[in-house]
Amino acid sequence: MVSIKAGILGATGAVGQRFVEALSNHPWFEITALAASERSAGKTYKKAAGWRLDTAMPESVENLEVVPVDPKAVDADVVFSALPADLALKVEPEFAKAGFAVASNASSYRMEKDIPLVIPEVNPEHLGLLEVQQDARGWDGYIITNPNCSTIVMTVTLKPLMQFGLETIQVATMQAISGAGFSGVAAMAIYDNIIPYIGNEEKKMETETLKLLGEFNGSEIVPADMRVSASCNRVPVIDGHTEAIWAGMRDKPTPEEVRKAFLKFDPRLKELPSEPAKPLIVRDEIDRPQPRLDRNMGKGMSVSVGRIREGIRYIAMGHNTIRGAAGASVLNAELLHSMGKL
Amino acid sequence: MVSIKAGILGATGAVGQRFVEALSNHPWFEITALAASERSAGKTYKKAAGWRLDTAMPESVENLEVVPVDPKAVDADVVFSALPADLALKVEPEFAKAGFAVASNASSYRMEKDIPLVIPEVNPEHLGLLEVQQDARGWDGYIITNPNCSTIVMTVTLKPLMQFGLETIQVATMQAISGAGFSGVAAMAIYDNIIPYIGNEEKKMETETLKLLGEFNGSEIVPADMRVSASCNRVPVIDGHTEAIWAGMRDKPTPEEVRKAFLKFDPRLKELPSEPAKPLIVRDEIDRPQPRLDRNMGKGMSVSVGRIREGIRYIAMGHNTIRGAAGASVLNAELLHSMGKL
Amino acid sequence: MVSIKAGILGATGAVGQRFVEALSNHPWFEITALAASERSAGKTYKKAAGWRLDTAMPESVENLEVVPVDPKAVDADVVFSALPADLALKVEPEFAKAGFAVASNASSYRMEKDIPLVIPEVNPEHLGLLEVQQDARGWDGYIITNPNCSTIVMTVTLKPLMQFGLETIQVATMQAISGAGFSGVAAMAIYDNIIPYIGNEEKKMETETLKLLGEFNGSEIVPADMRVSASCNRVPVIDGHTEAIWAGMRDKPTPEEVRKAFLKFDPRLKELPSEPAKPLIVRDEIDRPQPRLDRNMGKGMSVSVGRIREGIRYIAMGHNTIRGAAGASVLNAELLHSMGKL
Amino acid sequence: MVSIKAGILGATGAVGQRFVEALSNHPWFEITALAASERSAGKTYKKAAGWRLDTAMPESVENLEVVPVDPKAVDADVVFSALPADLALKVEPEFAKAGFAVASNASSYRMEKDIPLVIPEVNPEHLGLLEVQQDARGWDGYIITNPNCSTIVMTVTLKPLMQFGLETIQVATMQAISGAGFSGVAAMAIYDNIIPYIGNEEKKMETETLKLLGEFNGSEIVPADMRVSASCNRVPVIDGHTEAIWAGMRDKPTPEEVRKAFLKFDPRLKELPSEPAKPLIVRDEIDRPQPRLDRNMGKGMSVSVGRIREGIRYIAMGHNTIRGAAGASVLNAELLHSMGKL
């Protein structure tokens, strides 16, 4: 039984609450600090959070006092950041400088040269950037980031296709409302409707994917040589991003060859607590995956794929606030610990 | 004031009711027959229909007696068919043989060589096939079809792109539940969910589009030389199909050139009653079109486009049971009448 | 063709847009001023409004410049107020003092002794209060209010029950999300959910109803002698408030007697433009009224009732932002004009 | 570790799947038979079920062969019945006669004089009827039933109010779509809508409640002397029935006295596996309970209450297919076992 002290930055929001859920019975981590905005600081978490998950708030955090988002106020070895991008931009370096490991779900530093953007099943070797980062910046701590939720769901399915010479990706997303936070989308805006626009989402998918699938040459990441074209849509689904993907590949594999590549995909991590039995679940039914039925597979950490057709076209689906956010950061931290870096 | 006697086959279903709505105050047509299954025949339309539109049932049809789907029972010049495909396959030729003009929304005969598949704004010249059809089959009447709802919405936007040398189309659809009829989708199946499969829909989009954009050489349609790859999804929206489209073109137009082509698109029909002021509405807002807000534009007959981006990518949206079904058939019949063929 | 200059206060919100819709082709009123917050003032209405109805914005208002909510900036005979209660509290008397007729949908002055709270079909005689009001306050103009949306829907059905000696009312509401404005309810809060609480709504229903059904004795309103107990819920419906009502009556009428009283209800107004053919529509089907199917009856101005059972229990339903808000205010102004008071 | 052989009748439907979920890791029961219609019999459960819960199908049942609903084909000590009422009417006595304990969720026999209708937390003493039943009918087995889902949710909250002299109950329900089975409600019927009618539901609530709260005098149940008036509505919620209740009581308790009675309610069962820590959860927040957030409390077996106001009015909410159906039957069977009757 390890016990690593964990803080959560932005602990009261939609992703913050998923962090609390993921860490409250974790075998390695113990929540020692819940940090949020000035408005919440000083209150008990129970009062401040306005808990909105459909599981009860863990009793262990109910009476923790929320602290400000300030390295001096936070007692922890690692902090998980669910901060909005503008705030993360300012605060995360302060934590890294103060010696914290920062596992961030924010977009602010994902594309920075010396900051690793990691999905454990896809590019664990990019963690090598951490030394580059600490050398360059003179930090005791560091920042590690995970990608945008839509990027994660897609990239977990692209990794096993790299062997076929992946060249072009077109992806139309159908994204859940929880991706915008608890109050990010008004009911009047999305009910019986689709919003064919999500700010910056397309650009994130188009750039983050290339970094994730790129090569670490010892000092930097050489982006993958391919093109991604995304068309992002918000749909009336609570949790779970669904993606219609076209993957153009040099070797022109058949749908069956693609299916087998998905089935064989086995990233062999080191038995990390949040690692699902199958990172990629292949559904052979004609009408799966579906977000409401499949988003909780692998405790929300599995990505499901199906409808692999000529094209190559297929559907990918994953839980956006677990696999695509809080769970992704926690898995990164677990990987770091398993490698002795935490 | 013309008065053409119009019958509706399959008058009680979702599309059938849209036919009633479209024809009940029509300047040219008068509903003289409402035909439906044996179960309904003999009842008043009010009893049989279980009216489910959010406008009141037109009083003029309330007490019409529903007749069987049989040429002998139907008194009309033109019949509009909202029959299921298997029934249409058997019944529509009987009506055509008996001298009726059959304007069909069913898929059964869309791809038949001598049967025109028409969108008035796209390929009115294909009506030339009617003579070929009557010659070949010895029918007094004829069958004219309109495409599948998803195909219509897309093809109206593809027509103005033909000038750029259209080569490849990829389309991910987000289709409304009304497309499956009143009881086609269970609430438990689609609520808070997406179903990434609609039977035969992808094949329809991939074949019908080539016929629609093909050339009539006097005796047959030479399909357009391009490839369409579709990925069709059901989403929790009541009416309005939204489509994320990638159009690969030989001339590589810029988004602005594409936008201008959409704006200039003017099919110059002959002032048909159901023709919208603009068949194609270009939305410049960053987050439009949206089904709930835009599906009723042009009384449901306009297709809206927006988010024209590099790629070329854009979003198209249209009302599936009006522009994509009942309204499409009615517009076809209006075109026939304006050309003296009805 | 009359032409009364009409201003709208709070013109950009959910009810404000319904006012624009109701007044833009009105035979008597002409929109001459659109007033909104400082943030919007100076912009064209098109820019400021973020139009969110499913009909196109009337062209006539697109380029009107939004003015501040200030009597000096507004050129109009009558102003329709869709202001939030706190702002209405301050601003409406300023307009009345400056000589405007103020037809308000805000709750601020509904329960004031000398300010009439009116539903034309229910208590037109309460307009007598206007003289009392002007005498007491020395205003050139005046304020007239309409009730809360839930109150209106219910009270239109209670009026014809007064003859039976109405004593107790219990009502459980299922209210649409549009009642809270465009961004009043987050999608994450209401999707696949019910919120069994709406701030102040129960108190409004319990007090406004007594004033509406009370008697005007020449100088004041004597509230009706009955008790109302409300339990208000928000449900995932876009428009249309549904109410399960129990009405306890001294005379113990049968369901059929109640049904006949509803059918006979005929408030005989003076052919006002917004008056529906039937203020109360009685549905005899076993499962009606339903909000999506019935909310637009009478252009959104009819209240539908059904399922009249022993108890006496029944279901009432009406469009909350038309019958229950903008349309209610407009109908009040029409009534005033027909009486020569505008 | 006990091992009681359990069969499920109607194992493929919405409630049947909840039975499988509840029993697959149960400490006392082992699923030994899955019975369903002729169409399913002979197939593996995986093929037959079309599993539609958002948890994975338990591996232990995947390859069980579905058997016909016939006592000869079923190997079990107890059978749980999720059959439709008409089929249950015929089949359940056959099973009881053949020596099975039948724990039924069907409505067919709930109101039979010698058949107990039981909620363990409410009226466990009614199990005394089993002897009466076996004596009268000469059965080796027996039938025990649980109430309708809406009745259960309400009655768990009424039991602690009996001490105040409960006289009248008015209840408006807002019921989830899962209550009608997987395909019982069409998406077009309920999306953006409310259906103010559910067949027989009101009568069930009005009669079952009196039996449940009645007294067992050694030979029969004397119904409680009170009146229940229900108004049942279907709303667009997946799981969880919400109920607005008015409880008229002789002693006129205050809301606080009612709250305390709810808090003190402690039915003291014998540590049954499915028994929640709290059968009744009192929520003091102003806007709870809510179905999406609270339905899974106590693994779906707790009923939540809140908004206790003058009237006495309050809101009750519980999971309709767990607490209100499968879980209710399983809890009944657990109670029987704990009393040595199974």
Side-chain angles (χ1 to χ4, degrees), chain B residues 184-200:
Chain B
V185 182
M188 284 298 285
I190 194 63
Y191 199 66
D192 183 21
N193 204 13
I194 286 170
I195 304 174
Y197 173 74
I198 300 174
N200 290 319

mmCIF file of all heavy atoms in Angstrom, chain B residues 184-200:
data_model
loop_
_atom_site.group_PDB
_atom_site.id
_atom_site.type_symbol
_atom_site.label_atom_id
_atom_site.label_comp_id
_atom_site.label_asym_id
_atom_site.label_seq_id
_atom_site.Cartn_x
_atom_site.Cartn_y
_atom_site.Cartn_z
ATOM 1 N N GLY B 184 -40.352 3.990 -34.986
ATOM 2 C CA GLY B 184 -39.165 3.283 -35.475
ATOM 3 C C GLY B 184 -38.021 3.213 -34.490
ATOM 4 O O GLY B 184 -37.185 2.322 -34.570
ATOM 5 N N VAL B 185 -37.958 4.142 -33.577
ATOM 6 C CA VAL B 185 -36.853 4.160 -32.612
ATOM 7 C C VAL B 185 -37.443 4.228 -31.212
ATOM 8 O O VAL B 185 -38.223 5.128 -30.905
ATOM 9 C CB VAL B 185 -35.935 5.386 -32.835
ATOM 10 C CG1 VAL B 185 -34.768 5.356 -31.866
ATOM 11 C CG2 VAL B 185 -35.428 5.438 -34.266
ATOM 12 N N ALA B 186 -37.077 3.278 -30.372
ATOM 13 C CA ALA B 186 -37.558 3.284 -28.990
ATOM 14 C C ALA B 186 -36.838 4.370 -28.201
ATOM 15 O O ALA B 186 -35.652 4.618 -28.413
ATOM 16 C CB ALA B 186 -37.320 1.931 -28.338
ATOM 17 N N ALA B 187 -37.567 5.004 -27.301
ATOM 18 C CA ALA B 187 -36.956 6.042 -26.467
ATOM 19 C C ALA B 187 -35.758 5.489 -25.694
ATOM 20 O O ALA B 187 -34.723 6.135 -25.577
ATOM 21 C CB ALA B 187 -37.995 6.621 -25.506
ATOM 22 N N MET B 188 -35.891 4.259 -25.173
ATOM 23 C CA MET B 188 -34.788 3.651 -24.423
ATOM 24 C C MET B 188 -33.556 3.445 -25.310
ATOM 25 O O MET B 188 -32.450 3.281 -24.819
ATOM 26 C CB MET B 188 -35.211 2.288 -23.867
ATOM 27 C CG MET B 188 -36.122 2.350 -22.671
ATOM 28 S SD MET B 188 -35.362 3.163 -21.243
ATOM 29 C CE MET B 188 -34.233 1.875 -20.676
ATOM 30 N N ALA B 189 -33.742 3.382 -26.615
ATOM 31 C CA ALA B 189 -32.623 3.135 -27.513
ATOM 32 C C ALA B 189 -31.826 4.400 -27.819
ATOM 33 O O ALA B 189 -30.615 4.334 -28.008
ATOM 34 C CB ALA B 189 -33.126 2.515 -28.818
ATOM 35 N N ILE B 190 -32.479 5.534 -27.849
ATOM 36 C CA ILE B 190 -31.806 6.726 -28.376
ATOM 37 C C ILE B 190 -31.616 7.839 -27.354
ATOM 38 O O ILE B 190 -30.766 8.709 -27.518
ATOM 39 C CB ILE B 190 -32.585 7.264 -29.609
ATOM 40 C CG1 ILE B 190 -31.749 8.287 -30.396
ATOM 41 C CG2 ILE B 190 -33.916 7.879 -29.207
ATOM 42 C CD1 ILE B 190 -30.497 7.742 -30.992
ATOM 43 N N TYR B 191 -32.351 7.790 -26.258
ATOM 44 C CA TYR B 191 -32.242 8.894 -25.290
ATOM 45 C C TYR B 191 -30.857 8.872 -24.637
ATOM 46 O O TYR B 191 -30.395 7.804 -24.225
ATOM 47 C CB TYR B 191 -33.343 8.731 -24.246
ATOM 48 C CG TYR B 191 -33.629 9.993 -23.471
ATOM 49 C CD1 TYR B 191 -34.161 11.106 -24.084
ATOM 50 C CD2 TYR B 191 -33.350 10.059 -22.113
ATOM 51 C CE1 TYR B 191 -34.425 12.267 -23.375
ATOM 52 C CE2 TYR B 191 -33.614 11.205 -21.388
ATOM 53 C CZ TYR B 191 -34.152 12.309 -22.024
ATOM 54 O OH TYR B 191 -34.396 13.454 -21.307
ATOM 55 N N ASP B 192 -30.223 10.044 -24.544
ATOM 56 C CA ASP B 192 -28.860 10.137 -24.000
ATOM 57 C C ASP B 192 -27.929 9.188 -24.746
ATOM 58 O O ASP B 192 -27.076 8.544 -24.156
ATOM 59 C CB ASP B 192 -28.880 9.819 -22.493
ATOM 60 C CG ASP B 192 -27.520 9.959 -21.817
ATOM 61 O OD1 ASP B 192 -26.656 10.657 -22.372
ATOM 62 O OD2 ASP B 192 -27.320 9.358 -20.744
ATOM 63 N N ASN B 193 -28.114 9.078 -26.051
ATOM 64 C CA ASN B 193 -27.381 8.056 -26.788
ATOM 65 C C ASN B 193 -27.243 8.424 -28.258
ATOM 66 O O ASN B 193 -27.888 9.357 -28.751
ATOM 67 C CB ASN B 193 -28.128 6.712 -26.664
ATOM 68 C CG ASN B 193 -27.226 5.521 -26.859
ATOM 69 O OD1 ASN B 193 -26.001 5.643 -26.847
ATOM 70 N ND2 ASN B 193 -27.820 4.365 -27.066
ATOM 71 N N ILE B 194 -26.384 7.682 -28.938
ATOM 72 C CA ILE B 194 -26.236 7.761 -30.386
ATOM 73 C C ILE B 194 -26.227 6.332 -30.901
ATOM 74 O O ILE B 194 -25.612 5.456 -30.285
ATOM 75 C CB ILE B 194 -24.904 8.461 -30.743
ATOM 76 C CG1 ILE B 194 -25.022 9.958 -30.463
ATOM 77 C CG2 ILE B 194 -24.536 8.226 -32.203
ATOM 78 C CD1 ILE B 194 -23.713 10.682 -30.562
ATOM 79 N N ILE B 195 -26.911 6.086 -31.998
ATOM 80 C CA ILE B 195 -26.845 4.760 -32.618
ATOM 81 C C ILE B 195 -26.097 4.921 -33.935
ATOM 82 O O ILE B 195 -26.586 5.581 -34.857
ATOM 83 C CB ILE B 195 -28.258 4.183 -32.869
ATOM 84 C CG1 ILE B 195 -29.047 4.161 -31.560
ATOM 85 C CG2 ILE B 195 -28.170 2.779 -33.461
ATOM 86 C CD1 ILE B 195 -30.502 3.756 -31.724
ATOM 87 N N PRO B 196 -24.896 4.345 -34.009
ATOM 88 C CA PRO B 196 -24.046 4.633 -35.170
ATOM 89 C C PRO B 196 -24.367 3.722 -36.349
ATOM 90 O O PRO B 196 -23.454 3.217 -37.014
ATOM 91 C CB PRO B 196 -22.641 4.376 -34.630
ATOM 92 C CG PRO B 196 -22.836 3.271 -33.648
ATOM 93 C CD PRO B 196 -24.219 3.475 -33.050
ATOM 94 N N TYR B 197 -25.620 3.482 -36.583
ATOM 95 C CA TYR B 197 -25.997 2.584 -37.676
ATOM 96 C C TYR B 197 -27.450 2.834 -38.067
ATOM 97 O O TYR B 197 -28.324 2.926 -37.211
ATOM 98 C CB TYR B 197 -25.859 1.116 -37.239
ATOM 99 C CG TYR B 197 -26.391 0.149 -38.258
ATOM 100 C CD1 TYR B 197 -25.682 -0.091 -39.429
ATOM 101 C CD2 TYR B 197 -27.616 -0.490 -38.073
ATOM 102 C CE1 TYR B 197 -26.182 -0.967 -40.390
ATOM 103 C CE2 TYR B 197 -28.115 -1.362 -39.018
ATOM 104 C CZ TYR B 197 -27.391 -1.589 -40.176
ATOM 105 O OH TYR B 197 -27.896 -2.445 -41.121
ATOM 106 N N ILE B 198 -27.693 2.948 -39.355
ATOM 107 C CA ILE B 198 -29.056 3.049 -39.876
ATOM 108 C C ILE B 198 -29.100 2.147 -41.110
ATOM 109 O O ILE B 198 -28.347 2.362 -42.070
ATOM 110 C CB ILE B 198 -29.411 4.505 -40.257
ATOM 111 C CG1 ILE B 198 -29.293 5.407 -39.015
ATOM 112 C CG2 ILE B 198 -30.827 4.583 -40.834
ATOM 113 C CD1 ILE B 198 -29.483 6.887 -39.293
ATOM 114 N N GLY B 199 -29.943 1.142 -41.056
ATOM 115 C CA GLY B 199 -29.973 0.108 -42.094
ATOM 116 C C GLY B 199 -30.042 0.661 -43.513
ATOM 117 O O GLY B 199 -30.952 1.420 -43.841
ATOM 118 N N ASN B 200 -29.125 0.271 -44.344
ATOM 119 C CA ASN B 200 -29.093 0.626 -45.775
ATOM 120 C C ASN B 200 -28.834 2.087 -46.075
ATOM 121 O O ASN B 200 -28.685 2.459 -47.243
ATOM 122 C CB ASN B 200 -30.436 0.264 -46.455
ATOM 123 C CG ASN B 200 -30.597 -1.231 -46.569
ATOM 124 O OD1 ASN B 200 -29.641 -1.924 -46.880
ATOM 125 N ND2 ASN B 200 -31.798 -1.718 -46.286
#
